[in-house]
Amino acid sequence: MTAPFLSLDAITRRFEPRLILGDRIAARLGARVENRPVRAVTEVSLEIAKGETLGLVGESGCGKSTLGRVVAGILPPTSGTVLIDGKPVIEHGRKVTTRVQTVFQDPYASLDPRMRIGDIVAEGPIAHGLASKADAPGYVRDWLSRVGLDPDFAGRYPHQFSGGQRQRVAIARALAMQPDLLVCDEPVASLDVSIQAQIINLFLELRRELGITCLFISHDLRVVRHVSDRVAIMYLGRIVEIGATEAIYRDPQHPYTRALLGSVPKLVLEDDELVRFETISGEIPSPLAPPPGCTFHPRCPVAVEACRREVPVLFDDSDGRMVACHVRAMERAAMTKEGSA
Amino acid sequence: MNAPLLEVEGLRTHFFTRAGVVKAVDGVSFALAPGEILGLVGESGSGKSVTGFSLLGLIDPPGRIVDGSVRLEGEELVGMPTRALRRLRGRRIAMVFQDPMMTLNPVLSIGTQMSLAIRAHDAVSDKAARERSAAVLARVGIPDARARLDAFPHEFSGGMRQRVAIAIAMAHSPAVIVADEPTTALDVSIQAQILFEMRELARESGTALVWISHDLATVSSLAERILVMYAGRIVEEGATATVLRDPRHPYTRGLLDSLPATAEPGRPLNQIPGTTPSLLALPPGCPFAPRCAHASGSCREDPPRRAAAGRAYRCHHPLERVA
């Protein structure tokens, strides 16, 4: 692997609920007030090479969006560092680079309804000197046509566009800042299937043209498989498995990855085939009170005693794949012993 | 086929807005056999949800069923007085919504609202109603059901709330449940659990399901028959696997090709160009024609419905059968 372009080192992000007035007074007076922080992201380290797309998947509440916001410099991490090309994204709690841009899930919420889309796209580049005020209209027209919108739409307002077109505007706004890294947080989740396909195609095309590096966050395992070179699976704030996309989809090693992939509905094309649903029992525990040890152990079909006590760390499984699972680690150890014997 | 349980014929539900008449459902006909699982798929604005709501007469002004008939067990529901409809809703035909909070009242305990739903149709004591509530909750996979009767909806996760909504729909063992995107808002692991349970419940109780969804994969794993809707009309229908393996309508083909799972990773998807037409200004003839690669002059007239052996589609230029 070449030198990492983006590197995250032990990122942790906690959210501490604000105490209500009564509790604050009680705390001042020395009472023990419970204030449990939510650990949205716990010690996540990963790297993305230049031009690579890393898919980040997981279910609601696993911390994938929080991690995306930390990478994008929108949220400062509680601890840990995010470096792009060796330079920090955030310093003293403030974003210090324009090299990372974000495309958000909801194109209805992420575009200011009172601004014309031309101004939405031009605002950042003008503020950061990428285009002068005089050049801005031409610059905007160029980006609008690159994302497949009629440049003459620049004078229109967001409400005059459909969901798919709005997402194109959001992509144009992000790319007009000429970022090196694009964080896409569920960019197609709110779109219809046929529009989703158009936006995925646009993304693939622009990525090839511009050589952009991307962190692609999604809960949709099918979409992630299609666009990512590597994929990371998160569960309750931690990465449980990371590696080359095809290898993971073909042969998942972490029991959670396996269960998650088994849960994805497949297109059934055989008559009278009764689909077997491989379901994971139970629900995702609350991040307020995560189980001790491996956070997946209460739902895990293969959990052993160690899983209840110790948090598994990511270990190198094979071919650059990392897995955080005690059971898999033991299997691996047994295999190497057999191999050397 | 047995006598149909539910027969829908020429259903038209229009919304009379200031901007004009929105023809959300425009001539939908289908039949549902007892115990059958029927998938109704389409994108936003295709009219699939409005069709579902129309079956239960849940259309509010400015919307109105302007034409057609919905017969449940031989009884005509369109034009039925509200009081009579209310005696059927929940008892013979029930609905599960995408958002379980459409069903649940946030200020009542689960036990209270389930008892209310049960006693709305059956003259039983409160105690007996609670007993039955606990029993149905247990059937939809809620652990420790009896104790959970005193809990409030906000104490449940999204998946658990949807289970409660399903339990309420099942409480009277209705003949038909209309489920409108019931798993769309849920995580995949929870979705798989609920799909599995719904299929089992339908099989055990003999309840027929109309499963409305935009997700072809979900429908394919559940439904025996599928209806594909576009711009208020059914464009193709038939046995699910047959339709998905061998679609005759270009729109069905386009939907399938839009799925990332059907293409090689990293390759451009075979997308459908353009967007769905506004229901206020539908093109004359086939509504899919402006996006269709096969469209010709004849598409400006409404394509006839062509039926053959359990299969039907509306297209002047149907795709060739794959060998």
Side-chain angles (χ1 to χ4, degrees):
Chain A
M1 206 160 109
T2 46
F5 177 65
L6 173 85
S7 74
L8 308 189
D9 184 34
I11 297 291
T12 295
R13 172 68 207 199
R14 281 196 305 268
F15 291 99
E16 286 185 30
R18 265 182 71 109
L19 291 178
I20 57 164
L21 184 64
D23 283 347
R24 279 212 300 269
I25 294 170
R28 274 285 168 81
L29 296 175
R32 269 188 54 179
V33 175
E34 212 176 341
N35 187 17
R36 268 191 304 199
V38 180
R39 272 217 251 176
V41 174
T42 310
E43 285 171 35
V44 168
S45 301
L46 58 84
E47 291 171 347
I48 306 182
K50 188 148 183 64
E52 185 184 49
T53 296
L54 177 75
L56 187 60
V57 293
E59 300 182 278
S60 345
C62 73
K64 58 187 189 300
S65 285
T66 303
L67 186 61
R69 275 156 203 257
V70 169
V71 171
I74 297 168
L75 273 179
T78 308
S79 63
T81 48
V82 182
L83 300 178
I84 272 200
D85 244 354
K87 294 185 204 73
V89 169
I90 288 188
E91 268 173 335
H92 310 296
R94 285 195 56 190
K95 187 175 174 185
V96 290
T97 177
T98 59
R99 301 179 69 182
V100 196
Q101 295 295 323
T102 315
V103 177
F104 297 96
Q105 169 172 3
D106 184 356
Y108 291 82
S110 65
L111 303 178
D112 187 336
R114 293 192 186 80
M115 283 173 80
R116 295 173 195 275
I117 64 155
D119 296 331
I120 290 175
V121 176
E123 194 181 25
I126 292 175
H128 290 278
L130 292 169
S132 69
K133 266 212 171 113
D135 298 339
Y139 187 75
V140 167
R141 287 178 72 88
D142 182 38
W143 278 108
L144 288 181
S145 61
R146 287 182 95 158
V147 298
L149 289 171
D150 185 341
D152 292 337
F153 287 172
R156 296 196 185 179
Y157 289 93
H159 76 264
Q160 293 171 289
F161 294 93
S162 67
Q165 288 174 318
R166 286 177 201 221
Q167 205 57 304
R168 289 175 194 265
V169 174
I171 292 171
R173 172 178 62 184
L175 293 180
M177 289 298 293
Q178 303 174 16
D180 299 309
L181 176 77
L182 197 61
V183 175
C184 297
D185 189 0
E186 301 269 14
V188 297
S190 61
L191 306 175
D192 267 321
V193 191
S194 70
I195 308 303
Q196 190 175 323
Q198 294 175 359
I199 299 295
I200 290 173
N201 282 350
L202 174 69
F203 171 79
L204 293 174
E205 187 188 312
L206 289 169
R207 186 180 65 177
R208 202 185 49 231
E209 258 173 46
L210 306 168
I212 277 185
T213 310
C214 182
L215 178 67
F216 194 97
I217 302 167
S218 177
H219 71 284
D220 190 329
L221 290 135
R222 295 168 285 193
V223 171
V224 166
R225 179 180 200 165
H226 198 76
V227 301
S228 315
D229 303 306
R230 282 194 310 142
V231 61
I233 292 98
M234 277 186 89
Y235 188 75
L236 275 181
R238 291 174 195 270
I239 289 181
V240 297
E241 185 162 1
I242 180 168
T245 308
E246 276 315 297
I248 287 190
Y249 276 76
R250 221 178 308 116
D251 185 23
Q253 290 305 340
H254 195 285
Y256 177 63
T257 316
R258 212 150 35 213
L260 196 61
L261 289 173
S263 297
V264 179
K266 286 162 202 70
L267 207 56
V268 183
L269 299 178
E270 299 305 314
D271 297 300
D272 301 322
E273 182 192 341
L274 199 55
V275 186
R276 280 193 32 230
F277 292 102
E278 291 161 38
T279 60
I280 317 179
S281 60
E283 302 221 338
I284 306 161
S286 158
L288 269 171
C294 171
T295 48
F296 187 59
H297 86 254
R299 304 174 75 190
C300 183
V302 295
V304 295
E305 188 48 37
C307 307
R308 284 178 259 280
R309 283 182 281 110
E310 273 168 69
V311 179
V313 288
L314 283 167
F315 72 94
D316 205 336
D317 187 85
S318 54
D319 301 326
R321 168 147 22 159
M322 310 277 280
V323 184
C325 174
H326 290 307
V327 177
R328 176 65 187 163
M330 287 188 279
E331 265 175 39
R332 245 359 259 185
M335 275 156 75
T336 21
K337 208 181 270 172
E338 251 169 54
S340 60
Chain B
M1 207 157 98
N2 321 7
L5 172 69
L6 182 76
E7 267 181 293
V8 180
E9 250 180 67
L11 182 70
R12 285 176 209 278
T13 306
H14 294 177
F15 289 80
F16 299 86
T17 67
R18 253 192 297 177
V21 181
V22 177
K23 297 177 179 173
V25 177
D26 206 27
V28 161
S29 307
F30 64 90
L32 184 71
E36 185 183 24
I37 303 182
L38 178 70
L40 186 55
V41 297
E43 300 183 279
S44 333
S46 63
K48 59 188 190 303
S49 290
V50 177
T51 302
F53 279 74
S54 300
L55 298 183
L56 283 91
L58 293 173
I59 300 293
D60 288 327
R64 190 156 53 82
I65 298 179
V66 293
D67 195 15
S69 101
V70 175
R71 278 190 303 276
L72 176 68
E73 296 169 319
E75 210 172 349
E76 178 61 56
L77 303 191
V78 174
M80 185 184 259
T82 314
R83 280 181 58 138
L85 258 181
R86 289 189 66 168
R87 275 201 291 277
L88 289 176
R89 285 189 202 135
R91 192 167 59 83
R92 300 307 298 154
I93 182 165
M95 188 142 185
V96 177
F97 300 93
Q98 173 169 354
D99 178 2
M101 291 313 279
M102 292 265 289
T103 305
L104 302 179
N105 184 332
V107 299
L108 295 181
S109 73
I110 299 294
T112 306
Q113 44 193 317
M114 289 195 72
S115 298
L116 281 174
I118 288 169
R119 295 178 72 190
H121 295 296
D122 292 343
V124 293
S125 71
D126 192 47
K127 200 165 158 245
R130 278 180 75 86
E131 286 297 313
R132 244 170 83 183
S133 306
V136 258
L137 278 187
R139 264 179 75 196
V140 296
I142 292 194
D144 206 5
R146 196 172 301 271
R148 300 299 273 166
L149 285 178
D150 294 321
F152 286 84
H154 74 266
E155 299 174 74
F156 282 69
S157 66
M160 283 296 171
R161 280 181 206 164
Q162 195 56 286
R163 285 195 163 92
V164 175
I166 292 167
I168 291 177
M170 306 276 313
H172 291 281
S173 310
V176 183
I177 294 181
V178 179
D180 186 13
E181 304 259 12
T183 60
T184 304
L186 305 176
D187 278 315
V188 273
S189 69
I190 309 299
Q191 170 175 297
Q193 290 172 3
I194 290 196
L195 285 180
F196 175 72
E197 282 156 18
M198 281 302 269
R199 197 174 64 188
E200 292 305 300
L201 286 171
R203 189 176 310 147
E204 280 166 27
S205 60
T207 299
L209 278 181
V210 178
W211 190 272
I212 301 171
S213 175
H214 70 282
D215 186 1
L216 286 172
T218 308
V219 169
S220 78
S221 62
L222 198 67
E224 296 140 29
R225 230 155 37 91
I226 191 172
L227 309 177
V228 182
M229 280 190 80
Y230 187 77
R233 297 170 210 189
I234 294 173
V235 295
E236 180 155 13
E237 65 177 281
T240 309
T242 318
V243 168
L244 298 184
R245 196 174 49 221
D246 188 21
R248 305 300 299 277
H249 198 286
Y251 176 64
T252 315
R253 175 83 266 162
L255 267 188
L256 282 163
D257 288 345
S258 295
L259 297 178
T262 52
E264 204 175 309
R267 288 301 176 83
L269 300 167
N270 212 345
Q271 66 184 46
I272 309 175
T275 50
T276 41
S278 157
L279 295 171
L280 277 168
L282 285 174
C286 175
F288 187 61
R291 304 174 77 185
C292 184
H294 306 271
S296 72
S298 58
C299 296
R300 269 191 281 278
E301 39 185 291
D302 192 18
R305 204 176 140 91
R306 301 182 197 188
R311 233 11 243 279
Y313 49 88
R314 272 172 105 126
C315 185
H316 285 299
H317 310 287
L319 302 171
E320 287 302 313
R321 220 166 246 279
V322 190

